[in-house]
Amino acid sequence: MGRDHIGWRPERLREQREAHGLTLEQAGDRLRTVARTAGLKDVPAANPQTLWQHEQGEVYPGPPYRRAYCLLYASTDWELGFRSPLPGEEPSKLGLTPSNDQHTGAHVLAIERALLQIAPGTDGADHFGISQRIMDAWRRRHTGGDPHKPTLVLVGGYAGSGKTELSRFLSEISGWPLLDKDPMCRPLVESLLVALGSDRNDRHTETYRSKVRPLEYESLLAAVNANIDCGISSIVTAPLIAEFSDEGWMRRLKSRCEARGVTVAPVWVQCDVDSMKDYISYRSAARDTWKLDNWAEYSASLNVELRPVVDHMVVDNRHGAAVAMADRARLALGAVRS
C-alpha cells in the first residue's frame, strides 16, 4: 500500500490540484504536457483514475509521476507530500519560466539553484568553483570559449542513486561530453560474460568482479584519457565504488590530469536505500534482476555513508531531491531554446 511510505501525505496532491483550479482530467492533460516539454524519458499516462488513486493514497506515485507532479505544480517532492523534508530543505520560491519568456533571467536562476545541490564533501573541495565553471560553460557555449581550465567531473554512486540523470543534466547545460560506463561498455561486458560461461546480466559473481569489471573500467578510463589528452572537459559517470575508495587510483588520475592542465572534480551522489530500490525496480533492467531478487543481501552490502577518499563534492539525492531540482532547471532551460 502507498501509505507505507514514510512521510507521504497524499492529500497534498488534491490540495495542489484544487488550488490550481484543475479537474482530474485537466491535471492529467497538463501532467503529460509538462513531462513531454521537460523531456522526461517516460511520460506518465496520467489518466484520471490513476491520479485519483494517488490523491486518495491508494497508490504511491512512481518516479515518473513524482517528477512530473513536481514540474506541474512548481514544487519539490516533499512540498507535494511524497516524503519528509531533508535537513535544511526549504520551500521552493522559484516558479516555472513561461515558454515565451526568455528575458527575465528565471531560467538562469533555475539552473543556478539546481547547481547549489552540489555541496562540499570535504573542506578542500572547490564546489563553488566547479559549479561556476559549469554555469559559465552553459553561458559561453555560443560565445566562443571558456576561460577556465578543462575539467573532468567524475560522478559516482550506487545503482539507482540518480547519478546518470544528474550527469546528463550537467552535460546538457555545460555542453561537455558525457561518458557513461553502461552504454559505452555493456555490449562488450555482456559478450565477455557469455564467453566466460556466465550469465550476460551477471554483476555480482567473482567472474564479473575479477575478470570482467577490471576490463570494463579500463575501457572507460581509456576514453577518459583520450579526452584528457585533448584538453576536453568531460562528465564521466559510473558507480566508481572501488575507484573512489582507492586513494592511489585517484592520485594517479589526478596527476595525469594535472600534467595536461585538467582539473579533476569527484562528485558522490548520496541516496537512501529505499529510493535506490524504487528507481531500480522502475527501470526494470535485466542486469538488476539479481539485486531485486536478493534485495536483503544486496542492500546489506551498501554503505550509504561511503565517500571518496580524496577531496570531493556531494549531491544529496535522497528521495530524489536533486533529480527533481534538475528537472525543473531543464524545463526552464527549454524556454530558452524555444
Side-chain angles (χ1 to χ4, degrees):
M1 287 292 292
R3 292 188 182 277
D4 293 336
H5 290 264
I6 297 176
W8 187 30
R9 297 181 59 185
E11 70 277 4
R12 288 193 178 180
L13 282 178
R14 176 183 54 77
E15 293 168 358
Q16 281 281 351
R17 177 175 59 78
E18 292 177 349
H20 283 72
L22 300 175
T23 65
L24 286 169
E25 290 81 1
Q26 291 170 331
D29 289 341
R30 295 195 182 185
L31 206 65
R32 291 189 294 273
T33 299
V34 76
R36 284 194 295 266
T37 302
L40 296 189
K41 180 180 179 182
D42 299 289
V43 177
N47 59 69
Q49 178 66 19
T50 300
L51 269 58
W52 183 85
Q53 290 176 321
H54 292 167
E55 293 182 1
Q56 297 300 311
E58 293 185 3
V59 176
Y60 184 70
Y65 273 103
R66 297 201 301 271
R67 293 172 69 177
Y69 276 128
C70 289
L71 291 172
L72 174 62
Y73 296 128
S75 300
T76 61
D77 49 357
W78 73 264
E79 289 174 305
L80 293 180
F82 296 137
R83 61 174 174 83
S84 301
L86 298 173
E89 201 168 20
E90 298 179 354
S92 60
K93 299 181 177 63
L94 187 63
L96 298 180
T97 305
S99 60
N100 61 350
D101 183 0
Q102 299 185 19
H103 305 290
T104 65
H107 53 280
V108 176
L109 294 176
I111 293 173
E112 288 179 341
R113 188 177 181 208
L115 289 175
L116 288 176
Q117 299 301 306
I118 301 177
T122 54
D123 291 339
D126 183 19
H127 68 294
F128 178 79
I130 297 301
S131 297
Q132 190 60 50
R133 290 187 189 187
I134 295 171
M135 191 67 193
D136 284 351
W138 174 71
R139 285 174 166 170
R140 297 172 185 269
R141 282 178 66 180
H142 62 285
T143 64
D146 186 338
H148 298 293
K149 294 166 58 178
T151 304
L152 175 63
V153 181
L154 298 173
V155 183
Y158 288 113
S161 62
K163 60 184 180 294
T164 299
E165 286 291 336
L166 289 163
S167 298
R168 288 174 179 168
F169 168 66
L170 296 178
S171 178
E172 183 176 0
I173 63 173
S174 66
W176 299 346
L178 172 61
L179 304 179
D180 188 335
K181 177 184 71 67
D182 281 343
M184 287 179 61
C185 302
R186 187 182 302 137
L188 291 175
V189 167
E190 292 179 352
S191 296
L192 182 55
L193 284 167
V194 172
L196 292 171
S198 186
D199 184 275
R200 65 189 310 110
N201 298 311
D202 170 23
R203 299 296 187 276
H204 62 281
T205 69
E206 186 60 27
T207 297
Y208 169 74
R209 287 193 294 264
S210 64
K211 297 182 178 180
V212 178
R213 187 186 186 280
L215 296 175
E216 182 181 22
Y217 275 80
E218 183 179 337
S219 299
L220 176 64
L221 188 59
V224 172
N225 286 336
N227 280 3
I228 291 173
D229 292 342
C230 294
I232 299 173
S233 293
S234 304
I235 313 289
V236 179
T237 185
L240 293 165
I241 308 300
E243 289 69 24
F244 274 177
S245 302
D246 185 341
E247 186 171 0
W249 190 93
M250 293 299 303
R251 296 297 181 194
R252 289 190 295 274
L253 177 62
K254 184 176 181 180
S255 295
R256 179 184 176 88
C257 289
E258 288 180 343
R260 291 159 178 78
V262 177
T263 300
V264 179
V267 178
W268 179 255
V269 181
Q270 178 185 8
C271 195
D272 60 289
V273 172
D274 289 341
S275 293
M276 286 188 275
K277 184 179 182 181
D278 195 10
Y279 279 97
I280 290 174
S281 299
Y282 173 74
R283 71 187 184 192
S284 299
R287 65 187 182 279
D288 294 325
T289 300
W290 182 89
K291 297 184 185 72
L292 294 173
D293 289 346
N294 301 272
W295 186 255
E297 179 183 348
Y298 171 72
S299 60
S301 70
L302 305 180
N303 176 12
V304 294
E305 301 302 322
L306 180 68
R307 297 291 184 274
V309 294
V310 296
D311 288 336
H312 62 277
M313 280 79 71
V314 173
V315 172
D316 190 345
N317 194 40
R318 287 175 293 178
H319 309 296
V323 167
M325 197 68 68
D327 282 341
R328 295 180 65 191
R330 276 198 189 96
L331 188 61
L333 181 58
V336 182
R337 293 175 172 171
S338 61

